[in-house]
Amino acid sequence: MPPHCELDGAAEPAGFSAEVAAANNSKKRGRDASSRGRAIIFDFDQTLTKAQDVLHQGKTVKAEADKVKVFEDMTDDEVVRNFGGKERIGALRTMLRDLFERDVSLIIISAGYRRALLPHLESVGLATPFFEFDHVWGQECERLQRVRFNKSRLITELMHEHGWTYDDVLFVDDSEDHIKKAAPVCQTMLVRGNGLSLDEIQAITNR
């Protein structure tokens, strides 16, 4: 059975480290998301990552989080390359740290699997303390399934729950379709290439 991904009471997977869990539990006690004034919602593949080609079982495949076995078998070097290299990872970490310190809620809504993408985020230092486990949504999550994987519908629900207005929320995705559907709901940013560029990362940091 896939894990439920409700905001309260979600079960954390075996691969989710004790350090991650402890940091996020502490964060929940001290800085509950519902009390924050703004949120940024990221796609994962080709937004946070650059979705590189990797060799898997003799075939060249795109490293995206809907391919769980591919993600599980990737080497550390392949994971780093999939995030665009060390410089880009550093820029992403700086962005996330700055947003986190400004009390911006950080959320991921992905068409990939949460159990695939979270270990990759953790391995390059982009998980703790920025993304709480239950603020990361993948296709195995019941709540995303209930809205038929329509990201704008889930965003609308989250905004209603937390009292966020249109101007409080920025949704960042590489899909024109997802951006078009979300445009009436919140602020949006279409990623223009394969993954956020350094300039786009800086623009988000400077918001």
Side-chain angles (χ1 to χ4, degrees):
M1 292 288 291
H4 290 187
C5 302
E6 305 304 328
L7 284 175
D8 296 315
E12 292 169 352
F16 201 69
S17 74
E19 179 186 0
V20 176
N24 285 341
N25 286 338
S26 175
K27 182 179 173 188
K28 287 177 189 177
R29 288 193 297 269
R31 306 169 69 183
D32 185 81
S34 63
S35 68
R36 300 184 216 167
R38 292 190 298 160
I40 298 185
I41 301 171
F42 295 95
D43 173 46
F44 183 75
D45 293 312
Q46 299 188 56
T47 296
L48 292 177
T49 74
K50 293 185 75 69
Q52 301 296 294
D53 290 335
V54 296
L55 188 64
H56 185 257
Q57 298 181 347
K59 297 180 180 179
T60 300
V61 297
K62 189 73 71 178
E64 296 181 321
D66 61 342
K67 305 177 182 73
V68 176
K69 184 60 175 172
V70 171
F71 260 44
E72 289 176 346
D73 292 345
M74 286 170 64
T75 66
D76 290 344
D77 286 345
E78 286 174 332
V79 173
V80 168
R81 185 164 60 88
N82 205 47
F83 278 101
K86 292 181 179 179
E87 179 185 3
R88 185 173 180 275
I89 290 170
L92 287 169
R93 190 180 297 122
T94 297
M95 173 190 72
L96 294 174
R97 182 184 300 114
D98 183 78
L99 295 170
F100 177 82
E101 290 177 350
R102 287 155 48 194
D103 288 345
V104 177
S105 294
L106 300 172
I107 298 169
I108 292 173
I109 302 178
S110 174
Y113 287 93
R114 180 172 65 176
R115 67 179 183 271
L117 65 89
L118 266 178
H120 281 210
L121 286 169
E122 184 177 356
S123 72
V124 297
L126 298 178
T128 306
F130 312 120
F131 292 107
E132 297 180 17
F133 172 78
D134 49 7
H135 287 168
V136 178
W137 309 85
Q139 66 170 267
E140 76 267 49
C141 296
E142 181 180 296
R143 189 168 181 182
L144 189 54
Q145 293 170 359
R146 285 206 307 265
V147 296
R148 300 180 182 272
F149 308 103
N150 185 321
K151 293 185 180 183
S152 66
R153 288 179 60 189
L154 180 54
I155 291 169
T156 300
E157 290 184 2
L158 295 174
M159 290 174 66
H160 177 74
E161 289 173 8
H162 297 299
W164 294 326
T165 66
Y166 177 94
D167 290 330
D168 292 331
V169 178
L170 174 66
F171 173 49
V172 184
D173 202 298
D174 68 302
S175 164
E176 291 187 14
D177 182 57
H178 288 311
I179 290 294
K180 182 178 179 179
K181 289 177 179 177
V185 175
C186 63
Q187 296 184 70
T188 60
M189 177 178 179
L190 177 65
V191 179
R192 295 296 178 178
N194 178 11
L196 285 163
S197 68
L198 294 177
D199 286 344
E200 288 172 326
I201 291 169
Q202 188 61 51
I204 294 173
T205 305
N206 292 341
R207 288 186 80 247

